[in-house]
Structure formats: C-alpha cells, structure tokens
Amino acid sequence: MRMLSLIVLLSITTAAYAATVVYDFNVSWVTANPDGLAERQVIGINNQWPPPRIDVQVGDRLIVNLLNSLGDEDTSLHFHGLFMNGSAHMDGPSMVTQCPVSPGASFTYNFTVDQPGTYWYHSHNKGQYPDGFRGPLVIHDPKTPFQYDQELVLTVSDWYHERMSVLQPRFMSKYNPTGAEPVPNSALMNDTQNLTMPMIPERTYLFRIANIGAFAGQYIWIEDHNMTVVEMDGVYVHPTETSMIYLAAAQRCSFLLKAKKETSRNFPIIASMDTTLFDTIPPSLNPNVTSYLLYNNTAPLTSPSPLDSFTPLDDTHLRPHDNVGILPLPDQAITLNISMNNLASGANYAFFNNITYVPPLVPTLYTVLSSPNSSQMTTNPSIYGTYTHPYILSHNSIIQLVLNNLDSGRHPFHLHGHNFQILHRSGPDEGPWSRSGNESSYNHEAPPMRRDTLLVEPNGNAVIRFKADNPGVWLFHCHIEWHIISGLVVTFVEAPSVLQQTLEIPEDHYAACKSKNRVIPTEGNAAGRGDSNGGDPKQWLVLDGEPKPPGELHSGFTGGGIAALVMSCLAGILGVAVVAWYGFSEPVSAEPINSPAGAAGESGSSSGSGSESGVYPDADSAEKSVENSGGGLFDGAGAMKTPISVVKIKRGTEAVESEALSFGSEEEAVNAVGRGMGMARRSGGEVNKKGKKGEGVDVDAITRV
C-alpha cells in the first residue's frame, strides 16, 4: 500500500513540474548583416532574426505552430538530437517523415521532451537552414548532476553572404566537377561578432555551445581559462578538463567554467573554423570569431594571442556519466563506404556504397503506414525505393555500423532518433576498418562514449553501435549540408510493423501534402504505386517512375564521343592533306603575249619552278631581277628592253587560275610594276590592270620573257 502511495505521489510531482510550452513560428524573409560585411535576405521568425532560443524542461510538452510565409520556398522543422520516441512523425525531414510545408501552409509539431541537454532546431528541407532558419534548443534538467550558478548559451556557425538558392546550383554543377564546397564568408558567435559576456568573479558558469553551421567545424578555446566538459550531444559525461574543444557541424558541448577572482583584464573566447575542410582559402577570409569574457568594463578588449597548433579534447576518450557498458554483439552489421564521384550530369555527388540519395515521391514514413499489413511487404526494402537507400532494422535489435571514409575530407555523421556508442575511431589515412588491424584500439571494455554526431577522419574509419528500440524512419547522414544536398544519406526503417500498429498521422500533416501548385501522394511505394485499399499487392514492388539520380559517367567514350572523335580525325587528316598538296604544288607562270604598246593583252599561262623558270614570289623580286639584267626596264628611247608580263594568280582548293598582264609603255609599266604593284605587296594598296589605284590586284608572281 505504501509503494502504491509513493507511485501516486511521484506521478503527481512529475505532473506538477511538466508544462505545455507553445511557440508560434511565422517563418518569413527578413534582412540582416550579422558580420557587418554584407546585408542579405535571411529566414527570420516572427519578423526577427536571429531566431529565438527554445527553452523547455524535461517532461514538458513542446508545441511549435509553424506558418510558412516565405512565399517562394517550402520548409520544414527538425529538432536535432531529440529521439522523438513514440512521435516519429514529428522528426521533420521533408519527404522522410512528412511532406514539405508549402508557402501559405501551416504545420504543428507536438511532442513530449524527455532528454536533458543542449540541442538545436533547423529546417530540414533542400539545404535551407544556412539561410538562417536555425537556433538553439535547451532542455533544462531539475536533477542535473552538476552544480553551477548560471547558464550561458552560445552558438557558433559559419556564414554565407549569398542565399542557398544561388549557391546550390553553382555547387551541384558540371562547372564544379571536383565538388568543391562553397567557402563561408565569415564565422559567427550567437549570430554576431565581438560579443561580450559579463562575468561575476568566482561564479561557476555552465556554458552550452552548439555548432549550428552548415559546413565548418570549430576549434573553441578561452584564453587563460580551462573548461570542464560535462555534456556532449545531450549525454552527461564524467567531468573532464581541457583547454580546447572541437565541435563539428551539428555537435554540442556543455562545460563548467569558474570565473577568476581577479578583474583587471578581459579574456577572449575564440572560435576558429576548421580550414582543412576548405578546398581554397580566400585571402579576405577571417576564419576566427572572437567574443569576450568581460570582467572589467574599462579594460581593453585585447586581440587573441596566436596559437602554434590546435590540440582539442578527443571526444572518444570521454565516459558517459551513467556508465552504461558496451551493447551486446550486433544482430545486424552494416558497412557503409563513403565516396565522392561524378555522374552523367557532370556534377559531383556523394555516395554510401555507391548509392546517392534521392527523395522518393511518397514520404517514406507514409509508405510504411500505407503498405499492406503484411510483414513480408512492410519489411521489404524494395518498396521504399532504391535511392532512399533503405535498411530495415528489426525491433530491439543491436545494430553496428562500420564507416569507411574513402574520401579525403572529414565528415560529421548524424543519426536521427538515437545516439550511439563509439566503439572505435581511427586517425586520418588509416584506411578501411579491419578488426584484426584495429583490435588494440577497439573499445570493448570501458563504457564507450555516446553521442548523436561523430566526426570521421579523412581516409579513416569508425565503428558505432546502437539498439533499435525506437520505431520510426530515421536518417543517417553527413551533417555538412553540402553533402546532404549531394546525397550522403541512408534511411533506416526501424520496426515498420510496430509503426503500423502504434502511429497515427494528424490531419494537418496530411493537409500539408496538398497545395495549390502540387499534390504529394501519401500512399504507395517510393514511386507512388500501390495503395492501402486492397489493390494488386504486386504493384508495391513496381518502382517504375521512382526519382533517380543522373546516370553513371561512362568510363570510356560514348557513342556520340566516338563519332565526334572519328569526324575530328578525318577533318584533321583532310586538312593536313590540303596543306601538303598546296605546299608541294608547283607555281604557275604565264607566257607573254605581244600586244600593241599601251594596251593590255590576253595572256596564257605556263608553269615553272624557282628562279630557273623566271617566276618570282613577289613584285620586289621582280624589280630586283629586272634591275640586275640591265639596270632598268627601258632603253634611252623609252622602248622596252625586255617585254614583261605581270601574272595575277587566284589560288583555291580545286584549281589555280592565272591572269597575265602585259604593258607596252614606260609609264604604264613603271606605275604598274615599279611602284604600284611592288608597293601594293608591301603596303596593302590596290592597283588595277592599268596600274591605277582602284580594284585590287594580288600579285603573286612576275615572269620575265
């Protein structure tokens, strides 16, 4: 009887603490200039930016009423790190657990929070959140195991000066074949720069920091202060002191800091973007953002001291505060190889096991709920599509993921609906996982660290494990937003038969699938085939029309490429042949025709070669030859010493035509040959048959008779 009374008392106490917390989010475009360098459009909430922080307490019911007033874009809302146990339809990714919320439409997120810690929320629709639709979410714990006097919440992020609608097409383009991600323009802290945080001497502060950026990891340190880490990604850990932490995109950390007694100076707190992730570093980029612990209002805010190297805490060495040991051996082991490659469009895509993610025509959760009530169909991965890359997880099974990063960049991988144990993480360039090769570092004794986002090193590997105790459709993906856009995503369909029996979708969620401009089906497989009304069940296995990525880039020549190569070779050979024919053909000369002095006569032509034939390449040569033969063209009486002919030659690819011109008077010959034609060759002037300026004559050769 006493036990029953105690249970009732605990229930009443819990109910007394629980509350319903409601946020109304009217999402629209506003303007902001957080780094002071460029004003731009950002996605604000209730006409303001930065978006508000969500504060709730363990056990509260959180309701977010979202109205899309963007006008030109769909949206959705994901609560990063929350398990959504029993509320999988509230997770938020478009075309996974819901339809995107179209402009003018509303959508309600309604769930109970039961995880203490530091989280954040963001759009999960077509790479949208870097436009500013993201903010911190804190779940306060009345039973926190750590003592402190005050909380401070910080966000760090990268920042772009252009909208994602501009950056995305540029990124996913054949003109960016290497897949180089756009480099951020700035780093921000609490969506600003040069932030100051007043400190009270000897007070203990709990700092909650979330990296809400799209791309860059951040090194974080405070000059002349140590940090005592007590939480990572919502998991309490045994207090661990460090001078620096590293937060990849989407990771969070909480640490305790004891304020100094001395108040004579202020201290910088610095976040520095991990520039090893960037393909290039623009000269104008400042990768750091600096804020200050303000001990003295009158003391200067000094610049941070430079560091020789970054030495952050290794998060895999942390131990969970609850000391939960390693999970049993896995029931299902999945190996995921990460790679980047080009497809037929010329753009660079990201792959798990050579599959790049493409959203289905029907949200995957709705495919689960509308599929025939048969375990054989519901647990058949085919109905969820090829390019959603689905894996079926049995209820309460132990899942192990082996991540082999075959790429030369770091990747922060995030699991929806769960956190996971980190059994192993290699250093850079250690290659794919091998149990025999990594036995010494394989964590199988001490309680392994848990978190929901893990950084995997370039050309390295990691092994993680979790229990599939949360029915739902959960994504596993890289949290660099550019890599989600390029397809580095898989889908875990967890306990689909249980979902069918326990989950109901609210009507306003289905209503979001219908808008003025489009209707998204809410039944059927990934291609929209099949229904829940007793139709032909075989249609569920037909995927004709499912969305697909571009085809593979051919390793050799395509048919069109071969044809183009052949035609280019033939054209080249023909061109060389014509040049050779032209070069080896003999020059054409003309036989002189005697005609009355002062009149131009008709001419024939004859061939010869070189100086032996009396053919000269230009009028200058003709003049020199005539001069050498007797010092001039005419005798003292004005009569020609030697009759001459000027030959006009027209060359073509099929024939060589010549026209011989004869002159009988000194004036005509001198004008035509001695000055006019020679000068025409040298200066581009024009002469006609009579040696007068006018119609152009191309003099290619002069013959002497």
Side-chain angles (χ1 to χ4, degrees):
M1 188 68 177
R2 289 185 60 189
M3 179 62 69
L4 180 59
S5 299
L6 181 60
I7 293 173
V8 171
L9 179 61
L10 287 173
S11 299
I12 294 173
T13 302
T14 302
Y17 278 105
T20 298
V21 181
V22 180
Y23 286 84
D24 295 319
F25 280 6
N26 184 356
V27 179
S28 64
W29 293 107
V30 297
T31 57
N33 186 2
D35 61 1
L37 299 176
E39 187 174 82
R40 55 153 295 186
Q41 281 192 311
V42 298
I43 297 177
I45 294 176
N46 301 332
N47 258 342
Q48 296 193 1
W49 193 89
R53 183 174 79 221
I54 293 178
D55 283 284
V56 290
Q57 189 167 284
V58 172
D60 286 350
R61 175 162 291 277
L62 176 60
I63 299 175
V64 178
N65 298 311
L66 185 147
L67 171 63
N68 182 359
S69 298
L70 293 172
D72 59 348
E73 291 188 8
D74 299 335
T75 194
S76 74
L77 189 57
H78 169 60
F79 303 88
H80 183 105
L82 299 191
F83 299 156
M84 296 295 177
N85 205 315
S87 305
H89 54 305
M90 300 293 175
D91 192 46
S94 291
M95 301 310 296
V96 180
T97 60
Q98 67 170 79
C99 293
V101 184
S102 59
S106 299
F107 198 96
T108 298
Y109 298 91
N110 185 340
F111 53 91
T112 299
V113 293
D114 54 9
Q115 306 162 240
T118 308
Y119 304 91
W120 62 300
Y121 64 88
H122 61 85
S123 167
H124 213 304
N125 182 76
K126 298 180 180 178
Q128 187 180 64
Y129 85 76
D131 279 333
F133 191 6
R134 73 286 186 282
L137 189 162
V138 176
I139 303 177
H140 302 276
D141 185 2
K143 300 178 181 179
T144 178
F146 310 110
Q147 300 301 313
Y148 53 89
D149 300 306
Q150 185 177 340
E151 285 188 17
L152 292 174
V153 179
L154 295 177
T155 63
V156 292
S157 64
D158 45 32
W159 186 248
Y160 293 92
H161 290 164
E162 293 181 287
R163 279 178 57 169
M164 291 298 284
S165 58
V166 174
L167 294 173
Q168 281 195 57
R170 194 183 300 162
F171 169 62
M172 294 300 297
S173 165
K174 65 182 179 181
Y175 301 108
N176 183 32
T178 63
E181 301 87 355
V183 177
N185 298 106
S186 299
L188 302 177
M189 190 176 292
N190 275 13
D191 286 319
T192 189
Q193 295 182 336
N194 299 311
L195 179 72
T196 58
M197 292 165 278
M199 306 298 290
I200 298 176
E202 298 187 289
R203 175 170 287 193
T204 299
Y205 291 88
L206 176 70
F207 280 77
R208 300 180 182 270
I209 301 186
N211 184 345
I212 62 175
F215 184 13
Q218 302 267 4
Y219 296 94
I220 301 166
W221 70 99
I222 306 173
E223 282 196 2
D224 204 22
H225 288 70
N226 281 336
M227 302 173 277
T228 301
V229 175
V230 294
E231 179 225 335
M232 285 282 191
D233 290 1
V235 176
Y236 290 139
V237 301
H238 288 287
T240 304
E241 190 171 275
T242 185
S243 60
M244 179 181 290
I245 58 175
Y246 180 96
L247 292 182
Q251 290 184 324
R252 294 90 63 210
C253 174
S254 294
F255 59 83
L256 298 173
L257 182 142
K258 182 72 176 287
K260 292 179 177 296
K261 183 177 182 179
E262 172 63 39
T263 61
S264 60
R265 58 172 292 202
N266 303 309
F267 296 90
I269 174 171
I270 305 100
S272 182
M273 292 191 290
D274 181 0
T275 57
T276 66
L277 294 168
F278 304 160
D279 282 39
T280 60
I281 302 177
S284 61
L285 176 66
N286 178 6
N288 301 336
V289 58
T290 303
S291 297
Y292 291 90
L293 303 186
L294 193 67
Y295 285 89
N296 188 325
N297 286 323
T298 61
L301 302 177
T302 59
S303 299
S305 302
L307 297 181
D308 294 328
S309 61
F310 295 118
T311 55
L313 174 72
D314 185 341
D315 58 321
T316 64
H317 292 168
L318 297 171
R319 295 290 173 258
H321 192 265
D322 56 16
N323 294 315
V324 172
I326 189 171
L327 291 168
L329 291 175
D331 301 300
Q332 185 176 359
I334 300 170
T335 297
L336 296 174
N337 296 322
I338 298 100
S339 61
M340 306 283 179
N341 211 339
N342 298 86
L343 292 179
S345 66
N348 190 273
Y349 288 79
F351 301 84
F352 279 123
N353 296 350
N354 296 319
I355 297 176
T356 187
Y357 180 89
V358 179
L361 291 181
V362 178
T364 304
L365 178 61
Y366 296 175
T367 294
V368 172
L369 299 179
S370 63
S371 62
N373 191 11
S374 161
S375 61
Q376 292 181 342
M377 191 66 72
T378 304
T379 59
N380 188 333
S382 297
I383 70 173
Y384 304 110
T386 304
Y387 301 102
T388 61
H389 205 167
Y391 290 89
I392 309 300
L393 309 183
S394 299
H395 195 208
N396 289 321
S397 61
I398 305 300
I399 310 298
Q400 179 165 294
L401 300 183
V402 173
L403 306 173
N404 293 320
N405 183 9
L406 308 182
D407 182 53
S408 59
R410 288 173 155 179
H411 293 276
F413 290 107
H414 170 58
L415 176 61
H416 288 226
H418 298 271
N419 55 33
F420 45 75
Q421 295 183 335
I422 305 169
L423 305 189
H424 168 78
R425 179 176 64 192
S426 78
D429 300 315
E430 293 188 17
W433 158 256
S434 166
R435 178 64 185 264
S436 59
N438 299 102
E439 181 66 34
S440 61
S441 60
Y442 188 73
N443 187 347
H444 58 280
E445 293 182 357
M449 179 57 194
R450 302 191 310 273
R451 65 185 314 169
D452 59 55
T453 306
L454 174 67
L455 184 73
V456 181
E457 296 290 354
N459 297 305
N461 63 77
V463 181
I464 61 178
R465 192 177 289 179
F466 65 96
K467 185 176 183 179
D469 56 1
N470 186 14
V473 177
W474 311 116
L475 293 185
F476 179 77
H477 61 84
C478 176
H479 218 289
I480 291 175
E481 194 68 5
W482 304 112
H483 298 168
I484 299 177
I485 293 166
S486 59
L488 200 52
V489 182
V490 298
T491 306
F492 292 137
V493 181
E494 183 176 332
S497 298
V498 176
L499 275 175
Q500 284 191 331
Q501 299 167 14
T502 58
L503 194 65
E504 288 190 16
I505 304 298
E507 282 305 314
D508 73 308
H509 286 211
Y510 283 131
C513 302
K514 301 176 182 179
S515 68
K516 296 178 181 179
N517 300 323
R518 57 122 200 267
V519 175
I520 297 174
T522 57
E523 293 185 350
N525 63 15
R529 296 176 177 271
D531 60 59
S532 58
N533 297 321
D536 183 0
K538 293 181 180 179
Q539 283 295 308
W540 282 87
L541 300 176
V542 178
L543 291 172
D544 294 347
E546 72 167 327
K548 297 180 180 181
E552 291 185 6
L553 192 65
H554 292 274
S555 57
F557 285 104
T558 63
I562 293 172
L565 178 62
V566 170
M567 295 302 295
S568 297
C569 291
L570 289 176
I573 292 170
L574 180 60
V576 170
V578 170
V579 171
W581 167 81
Y582 183 85
F584 286 106
S585 63
E586 294 184 350
V588 178
S589 62
E591 293 294 336
I593 297 178
N594 294 325
S595 59
E602 299 298 327
S603 68
S605 65
S606 63
S607 63
S609 62
S611 60
E612 296 178 359
S613 65
V615 177
Y616 298 87
D618 56 27
D620 292 339
S621 301
E623 293 179 74
K624 292 177 182 178
S625 176
V626 174
E627 290 170 0
N628 292 337
S629 67
L633 292 174
F634 305 94
D635 59 19
M640 280 189 169
K641 290 180 178 178
T642 305
I644 67 166
S645 292
V646 178
V647 183
K648 175 184 175 183
I649 298 176
K650 300 178 181 176
R651 297 187 183 272
T653 57
E654 299 180 356
V656 177
E657 300 178 3
S658 65
E659 183 179 358
L661 306 176
S662 296
F663 301 91
S665 70
E666 177 179 280
E667 181 182 356
E668 290 179 349
V670 169
N671 288 339
V673 178
R675 297 186 181 88
M677 290 188 178
M679 293 183 68
R681 291 293 293 172
R682 289 191 292 271
S683 65
E686 296 179 342
V687 295
N688 60 20
K689 291 182 181 181
K690 295 181 180 180
K692 296 179 181 179
K693 222 172 179 183
E695 181 182 309
V697 176
D698 182 14
V699 180
D700 290 84
I702 300 175
T703 61
R704 183 176 59 189
V705 181

